[in-house]
Amino acid sequence: MSATLAVRRAAARRHRIVVSTVIVFAVVAVVVAVSVGDYPIAPDRLWATLTGSGTRIEQYVVFQVRAPRAAMALVVGAALGAAGALLQSFLGNPLASPDLLGISGGSGLAAVTAILVLGTTGPLLAVFAFAGGAAVAVLLALAGRSLRDGGFRLILAGIGVSFLTAALINLLMVRAKVEEARLALLWLTGSLSSTPWWQVVVVVIVIIALLPALVVASRWLPLVQLGRESAHGLGVASAPVRLVVVTSAVLLTAVTCAFVGPISFIALCAPAIARGLLRHGAVGVGTSAALGAVLLSAADLVAQYAIPGVSMPVGVVTGAVGALFLLWLLATSKGRQL
């Protein structure tokens, strides 16, 4: 008993250290994001601006231009990290993420259809994005009803849906007018530029509304990972867990896709990094969310300032880094988890 207690205490201590370190990195990323740029703000002037003593231009740059973008990077990264952790934990597969399973593709297809065919913009776009992601989630749930094959059928179905949605999006882009296609392409790449506060508020509201479901899922998922029979013996049925996990992942993915586009690989990388840092095999939803926030914030800084005079969409950076991470994951897993 004492040995088990010691292991638990060590795991809890490591968890606190990891979370504290990630929070520090997040604060540093936010401070850098609101300080650097074409109009640099020194630390003392930043503090004066935050306390209400800054000039009008400093207040405008910080609160209206940079702070919304930095806040959106945090909340979107957290949402994607949590969504990836939910799916990877439930399916027991490190490739289970909204972008690779086609949920982001379904949201993207619905949103691009709304933009190019219906001329939809603004808050209504979130409705179309959620409907597309939910439709894909239903298809995946039907494809992997039993999950007795470790989720392989669901993973393959998701990859097929991803290719299908990409083909349909390309068809719509080819047939669209140049200006409309340019707008849709920027959205598809994933960008945090020109982010207003109301979009940040909407994403925060969705995350807060889903917090009870995320807490419940975090408690159920370790039992579900033991297997259907073991979980059922402990009083946890897989069907309610599936409903909570899939619904939460779809909501988190759809609301982020609606406002910033389908930013790739954050949902894949954050849980994998969290698993490596925690070192106990399980995927911490909260830790993955915090890491997702830091990863997207750092990627946005790279997108803005890595090349002087060139500001790239953040999706370009996450796609490039995420692709390398996926290759590393595939090379090092040696088929044990895949």
Side-chain angles (χ1 to χ4, degrees):
M1 183 65 68
S2 59
T4 303
L5 183 60
V7 171
R8 290 180 177 178
R9 288 179 176 176
R13 183 169 58 253
R14 184 173 186 84
H15 183 269
R16 289 194 296 269
I17 294 174
V18 170
V19 172
S20 301
T21 304
V22 172
I23 291 175
V24 170
F25 276 107
V27 172
V28 171
V30 171
V31 171
V32 172
V34 299
S35 300
V36 301
D38 295 332
Y39 188 87
I41 300 177
D44 59 330
R45 296 309 307 163
L46 177 62
W47 176 254
T49 303
L50 295 176
T51 56
S53 303
T55 63
R56 288 187 176 181
I57 187 171
E58 289 173 339
Q59 291 179 355
Y60 174 78
V61 169
V62 171
F63 293 113
Q64 300 301 322
V65 178
R66 295 176 183 170
R69 180 167 184 162
M72 183 62 98
L74 287 177
V75 296
V76 167
L80 293 176
L86 289 173
L87 293 174
Q88 290 187 19
S89 298
F90 181 62
L91 297 175
N93 194 308
L95 290 181
S97 68
D99 38 359
L100 294 183
L101 288 180
I103 297 176
S104 297
S107 296
L109 176 60
V112 169
T113 302
I115 294 174
L116 299 181
V117 178
L118 304 178
T120 302
T121 57
L124 189 59
L125 196 62
V127 178
F128 284 95
F130 172 73
V136 172
V138 171
L139 291 176
L140 295 180
L142 294 175
R145 289 187 297 271
S146 65
L147 296 179
R148 293 176 181 175
D149 55 358
F152 294 133
R153 183 185 302 175
L154 192 146
I155 297 293
L156 292 176
I159 293 174
V161 170
S162 297
F163 280 110
L164 177 61
T165 55
L168 294 176
I169 289 173
N170 290 334
L171 177 62
L172 291 173
M173 296 286 288
V174 169
R175 297 174 62 86
K177 296 180 181 179
V178 175
E179 292 299 326
E180 294 176 343
R182 184 178 302 173
L183 176 63
L185 181 61
L186 178 62
W187 186 89
L188 284 171
T189 305
S191 176
L192 295 169
S193 61
S194 303
T195 299
W197 275 114
W198 71 267
Q199 293 183 357
V200 180
V201 171
V202 171
V203 179
V204 171
I205 290 175
V206 172
I207 294 176
I208 293 176
L210 288 175
L211 277 180
L214 296 178
V215 172
V216 171
S218 299
R219 294 179 178 178
W220 284 350
L221 283 173
L223 300 179
V224 173
Q225 288 178 314
L226 298 175
R228 171 183 288 187
E229 292 76 10
S230 299
H232 184 73
L234 294 172
V236 177
S238 61
V241 178
R242 179 189 304 180
L243 178 62
V244 171
V245 168
V246 173
T247 302
S248 300
V250 170
L251 275 171
L252 292 171
T253 304
V255 72
T256 57
C257 284
F259 295 130
V260 301
I263 296 178
S264 58
F265 288 110
I266 295 295
L268 176 72
C269 298
I273 297 174
R275 189 185 303 111
L277 291 175
L278 296 177
R279 294 184 180 177
H280 52 57
V283 181
V285 177
T287 307
S288 298
L291 278 168
V294 172
L295 289 175
L296 189 56
S297 298
D300 190 43
L301 290 175
V302 173
Q304 293 183 75
Y305 306 115
I307 302 177
V310 178
S311 180
M312 298 178 292
V314 68
V316 175
V317 177
T318 60
V321 176
L324 296 176
F325 182 85
L326 178 60
L327 291 175
W328 173 84
L329 180 65
L330 292 172
T332 56
S333 64
K334 299 179 181 180
R336 290 193 302 270
Q337 296 177 316
L338 306 183

